[in-house]
Amino acid sequence: MAEQIPAAPAQSPVELKAQIEAERAGKPFLIYRDGPGQQQIFTLTDDLERVTVGRETSAGIWIDWDTEVSRLHAELERIGESWTVSDDGLSRNGTHVNGERVVGRRRLRDGDVVRFGRTVAIYRQPLVANVTETKVASNVIDRTSLSEAQRRVLLALCRPFKESSGYVTPATNQQIADELFLSVDAVKTHLRALFAKFGIEGLAQNQKRVRLVELALKSGVVTPRDL
């Protein structure tokens, strides 16, 4: 029976913003939560060839809060343009990728879920992800897909994300209405249409707005310059 992969907790707007900025930088990275539950992003920069993972203070990715992680638990290594993870008997509890225990060395692909002990990390390789996304032209939302009114509402929704620091949340319906001189009902109508166009109408109500901002910024429909 395949191991059940734990669901990732919802990101706060500031955490989402940090992830978007890491993706824009284009370097591979691991995103995970530390002991207190704070999001951490470890970027695999060009000067790195090998990174150790474990509870040793010398580990590149130091997971001191997780007692199921060994002192030297696993190793990430760059091979060519790719990153791999290997355990090779280093840890007592093993390293898992997408629910499967790693035996020897395994190449990481964008979106892989890597588990060290109880700590779950997502591997992101933004440049590869962007190339993949451009192949699915029929599913891409661009500026021409939106009416002028929808685009204005979307920009107003994303406006708080203009600044690069501090805790931010998407604009409220009332804030959007005040900025655009619309009624709140009109704003809600446009947002419902945007949720449908971006395919997120099925999400929980409290997740839709943040997800819409994420998709708008990732797709380039909204850019920092627009804000």
Side-chain angles (χ1 to χ4, degrees), residues 61-185:
I61 299 178
W62 185 31
I63 309 180
D64 64 320
W65 61 87
D66 189 340
T67 57
E68 292 186 14
V69 169
S70 299
R71 290 175 59 82
L72 177 58
H73 191 97
E75 190 174 62
L76 301 171
E77 183 178 4
R78 183 199 302 273
I79 298 180
E81 297 299 317
S82 300
W83 278 89
T84 64
V85 62
S86 61
D87 188 316
D88 206 18
L90 292 175
S91 72
R92 174 176 296 179
N93 295 313
T95 299
H96 298 74
V97 176
N98 300 330
E100 298 179 2
R101 185 161 183 161
V102 173
V103 178
R105 186 180 307 277
R106 177 159 175 165
R107 178 185 176 186
L108 293 175
R109 291 176 169 79
D110 181 63
D112 277 349
V113 179
V114 188
R115 182 168 65 79
F116 311 104
R118 296 190 307 273
T119 301
V120 175
I122 309 297
Y123 173 75
R124 291 304 319 277
Q125 195 170 356
L127 292 181
V128 172
N130 289 339
V131 170
T132 302
E133 288 169 6
T134 58
K135 294 179 181 177
V136 193
S138 61
N139 294 330
V140 172
I141 298 292
D142 58 25
R143 298 183 185 214
T144 63
S145 306
L146 308 179
S147 70
E148 182 59 30
Q150 289 167 355
R151 177 163 166 72
R152 290 172 63 227
V153 168
L154 184 58
L155 287 174
L157 180 75
C158 297
R159 194 90 62 199
F161 287 76
K162 180 178 181 179
E163 299 302 325
S164 59
S165 61
Y167 182 86
V168 291
T169 61
T172 65
N173 290 343
Q174 188 63 61
Q175 289 171 330
I176 297 171
D178 292 344
E179 177 181 335
L180 302 180
F181 302 101
L182 295 172
S183 68
V184 170
D185 284 342

Side-chain angles (χ1 to χ4, degrees), residues 200-213:
I200 58 174
E201 63 268 45
L203 289 180
Q205 195 62 36
N206 63 347
Q207 297 177 0
K208 289 180 183 177
R209 301 168 75 86
V210 172
R211 182 61 175 160
L212 181 56
V213 171

